[in-house]
Amino acid sequence: MNVERCAHRRIDMSRGLPSPEQIALSRPLLNLPGELPFASSDGQDWLNYGGLQGVAEVRELLAPILLGLPACQCAMGGNSSLALMHQTLAQAWIKGFPGALPWAQAPRIRFLCIEPGYDRHFAICEYFGIEMVPVPMCADGPDMDIVERHVATDASVRGMWCVPRHANPTGTIYSAATIERLGSMPSAAKDFRIICDNAYVVHDFPQDEARTQADALTLHAAACRAGHEDRVLAFASTSKMTIPGAGIALFGASPRMLEWWLQGQRARTVGPDKVNQVRHLLFFRDAANLHAHMRRQGALVQLRVRCVEQIFQRYLDDMEGVSWSSPSGGYFLCLRLPVGTARDVAHRAATHGIQLTKPGATHCHGLDPEDRYLRIAPSQLSLDDTVVAATVVARTVEAVCGKGDAR
Ligand code: PMP
């Protein structure tokens, strides 16, 4: 392919948006609940104010699948899990976690941030002035020797971001051993918390189920076994299950932490959008149907991800210092390049009309010190555009890293 042929078109591969085909799978949701009868088992009027924790049946369906928790340890509010994470840190900032001082009164608050990682987690840290401590991502999750050392010895380390299944952007699934160590490690700070972001917990690629058995939902249980019941604050949403921006967001934790969280909610709202919760319940119906829906979603993302992989394989297979992740779910691939080349590749790809996630976004403060990681987000593209975009990126890598002239 001659990359100049693409110059007249612009293809945006910068963010992990669901494709129109994916969203079409959830269109029937828009007609729900209609006039269908629904009465919540707890007697809550879902058409009126109230119901701070969310509709019981919806929690019963979603909390075990998305958070690994019983319905009674989950609350639903708003549409965005990121907003709930932000709000939780704000509450820690202003009020403090149970039995601890507000973080606003601490001279410094530090968070462990896994790199490559998710730029919006880093942006929340930046907003609060939380100092970010980078930890490298390994094949089976964060480098736990480094994590344990920081958490055990530094009382200013109060938190850590984790995406235990199909992490953004590497697609990593944490191993059972990593989950166990995260749950059981001693912490110098008594209010150390893991922000467990389950954004991709049911987003497996269907033909890869055998590869995706490790259970990310056991983190809370692992912490409880070690006596750290309050450590894990779990978040999820249906943003990438149904319609982004019109989903349901969930928070889950120990009973004590849930009560702490609901206190904040009580001061903030008279109740969440329960109509949308009921709409999702009527759409998903049960766990088997939800998983079937997610297999259809996963198949669509998988097509694009495998297409990118095949093209990278064709052009970049034997290139020194070049490798890419081969995820079994989630939305992203992570392209690793020779030191000092990622920015140049992204810049040149942009001149050929292919917009990639900003280089550096995978690292704290948007700065990849080695300038070598690019996030590849093909989910929203047509297959034709995926072929064009991946080919342009691959040929650009060849050109920048010394194997071709980008034609
Ligand atoms: N967490 C991760 C790891 C994500 O990749 C995304 C979506 N890009 C989100 C959270 C956003 O979730 P929500 O729509 O629920 O705010």
Side-chain angles (χ1 to χ4, degrees):
M1 174 179 295
N2 183 334
V3 294
E4 277 143 31
R5 264 187 27 216
C6 309
H8 61 288
R9 302 180 53 203
R10 215 177 139 269
I11 299 177
D12 187 348
M13 208 171 26
S14 64
R15 306 265 5 145
L17 306 183
S19 62
E21 293 98 309
Q22 278 178 271
I23 292 177
L25 293 173
S26 302
R27 277 201 92 82
L29 191 76
L30 299 177
N31 299 320
L32 296 169
E35 292 301 319
L36 285 176
F38 175 78
S40 178
S41 59
D42 58 5
Q44 176 71 49
D45 181 355
W46 61 283
L47 288 172
N48 216 321
Y49 272 136
L52 197 67
Q53 206 175 333
V55 176
E57 283 86 345
V58 190
R59 283 185 282 121
E60 272 152 30
L61 174 65
L62 296 182
I65 296 173
L66 299 182
L67 304 175
L69 291 168
C72 61
Q73 284 179 233
C74 151
M76 296 178 298
N79 69 289
S80 160
S81 59
L82 268 179
L84 298 191
M85 295 175 219
H86 187 284
Q87 188 184 320
T88 303
L89 296 197
Q91 200 170 323
W93 213 264
I94 297 163
K95 292 286 180 187
F97 285 116
L101 285 176
W103 286 1
Q105 291 176 23
R108 88 179 181 177
I109 299 286
R110 306 174 92 201
F111 258 52
L112 303 188
C113 295
I114 300 153
E115 292 177 335
Y118 181 37
D119 54 354
R120 293 197 189 271
H121 290 161
F122 305 150
I124 292 178
C125 282
E126 277 187 356
Y127 177 84
F128 283 101
I130 294 173
E131 201 180 300
M132 292 182 254
V133 180
V135 173
M137 180 67 103
C138 303
D140 55 358
D143 185 322
M144 283 307 298
D145 291 341
I146 297 178
V147 169
E148 284 168 345
R149 198 173 60 243
H150 281 301
V151 173
T153 58
D154 184 349
S156 68
V157 172
R158 305 298 180 89
M160 169 174 186
W161 302 100
C162 285
V163 185
R165 194 173 186 82
H166 306 311
N168 179 349
T170 55
T172 311
I173 298 178
Y174 294 12
S175 68
T178 298
I179 297 274
E180 201 56 40
R181 287 173 77 175
L182 285 168
S184 62
M185 63 188 172
S187 66
K190 68 178 191 310
D191 57 350
F192 170 77
R193 294 291 183 275
I194 294 177
I195 309 296
C196 176
D197 180 346
N198 283 343
Y200 301 109
V201 83
V202 286
H203 300 66
D204 301 345
F205 297 156
Q207 284 139 43
D208 282 322
E209 271 161 14
R211 273 210 281 159
T212 60
Q213 292 308 309
D215 196 350
L217 292 175
T218 55
L219 183 53
H220 178 74
C224 289
R225 274 197 299 282
H228 303 133
E229 286 84 1
D230 294 342
R231 171 170 293 182
V232 177
L233 308 180
F235 298 85
S237 80
T238 62
S239 289
K240 287 184 172 172
M241 297 172 68
T242 56
I243 298 178
I248 307 170
L250 298 93
F251 168 86
S254 67
R256 183 163 91 128
M257 286 309 302
L258 177 66
E259 181 44 36
W260 172 87
W261 194 80
L262 286 172
Q263 269 168 22
Q265 286 295 96
R266 267 180 216 114
R268 186 172 171 267
T269 172
V270 193
D273 176 355
K274 296 180 295 304
V275 173
N276 199 30
Q277 296 173 10
V278 170
R279 178 182 293 144
H280 276 75
L281 181 69
L282 298 173
F283 176 70
F284 285 133
R285 296 200 304 271
D286 55 32
N289 201 47
L290 181 152
H291 287 299
H293 174 79
M294 290 313 296
R295 273 195 292 280
R296 289 190 284 274
Q297 293 269 2
L300 290 167
V301 183
Q302 182 179 33
L303 267 178
R304 288 147 176 86
V305 166
R306 294 288 174 258
C307 172
V308 172
E309 280 186 70
Q310 276 165 16
I311 288 166
F312 284 1
Q313 197 109 32
R314 188 179 320 146
Y315 290 99
L316 307 175
D317 200 24
D318 53 353
M319 281 191 74
E320 210 177 310
V322 178
S323 60
W324 53 93
S325 57
S326 175
S328 59
Y331 268 59
F332 305 98
L333 300 101
C334 188
L335 178 60
R336 188 168 183 261
L337 298 169
V339 173
T341 59
R343 268 198 302 248
D344 195 8
V345 167
H347 177 74
R348 291 206 208 180
T351 64
H352 293 301
I354 310 301
Q355 195 188 341
L356 295 170
T357 310
K358 203 163 177 263
T362 51
H363 285 62
C364 301
H365 300 292
L367 292 172
D368 168 4
E370 292 189 316
D371 184 26
R372 66 183 312 182
Y373 290 95
L374 290 175
R375 186 177 79 162
I376 308 295
S379 59
Q380 66 172 311
L381 305 185
S382 68
L383 271 180
D384 283 352
D385 279 359
T386 307
V387 172
V388 172
T391 306
V392 170
V393 172
R395 300 298 308 269
T396 308
V397 170
E398 283 186 324
V400 169
C401 305
K403 201 181 137 185
D405 63 358
R407 267 200 303 244

